[in-house]
């Protein structure tokens, strides 16, 4: 199997690249964040959850079956990462410490009361 000679080091390189990239992304997103306001439920948080689109199962299948589509799929999923509200799961978080954020917080608290 001549092809395996270059395929295995290439696979190892790609895995290191993807795992390393994810580690860097998760480290940077864990830093203390600015308070965020959810415009859907009015919840405030400084620890938004991050959510990515796509399926881990499809990702694994693509990786096992074809390396390049697997890599592309992984990269696409990483690019769709977004911050979501830990209360309701909506991706409608805005910065709370802005005039807009304060205005929306006021509106939402009035709407509830
Ligand atoms: Zn919410």
């Amino acid at each position: 199997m001549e092809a395996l000679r270059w395929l295995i080091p290439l696979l190892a390189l790609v895995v290191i690249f993807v795992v390393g990239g994810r580690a860097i992304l998760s480290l940077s997103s864990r830093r203390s964040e600015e308070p965020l306001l959810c415009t859907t439920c009015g919840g405030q948080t400084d620890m938004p959850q991050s959510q990515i689109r796509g399926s881990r199962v499809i990702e694994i299948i693509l990786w096992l079956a074809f390396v390049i589509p697997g890599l592309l799929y992984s990269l696409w999923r990483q690019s769709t990462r977004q911050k979501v509200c830990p209360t309701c799961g909506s991706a409608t978080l805005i910065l709370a410490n802005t005039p807009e954020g304060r205005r929306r917080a006021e509106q939402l608290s009035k709407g509830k009361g």
Side-chain angles (χ1 to χ4, degrees), residues 14-66:
V14 166
V15 167
I16 289 164
F17 170 74
V18 171
V19 171
R22 282 188 181 181
I24 289 163
L25 277 172
S26 65
L27 277 177
S28 62
S29 65
R30 262 179 216 156
R31 278 183 205 150
S32 65
E33 307 247 3
E34 295 219 57
L36 297 166
L37 172 76
C38 175
T39 58
T40 300
C41 70
Q44 285 198 31
T45 180
D46 53 4
M47 289 174 67
Q49 295 183 339
S50 59
Q51 190 182 60
I52 54 175
R53 291 169 65 186
S55 157
R56 186 169 289 270
V57 176
I58 291 173
E59 194 175 4
I60 291 165
I61 291 167
L62 282 173
W63 269 98
L64 290 176
F66 330 92

Side-chain angles (χ1 to χ4, degrees), residues 37-43 84-90 92-93:
L37 172 76
C38 175
T39 58
T40 300
C41 70
V84 298
C85 173
T87 308
C88 69
S90 297
T92 52
L93 293 170

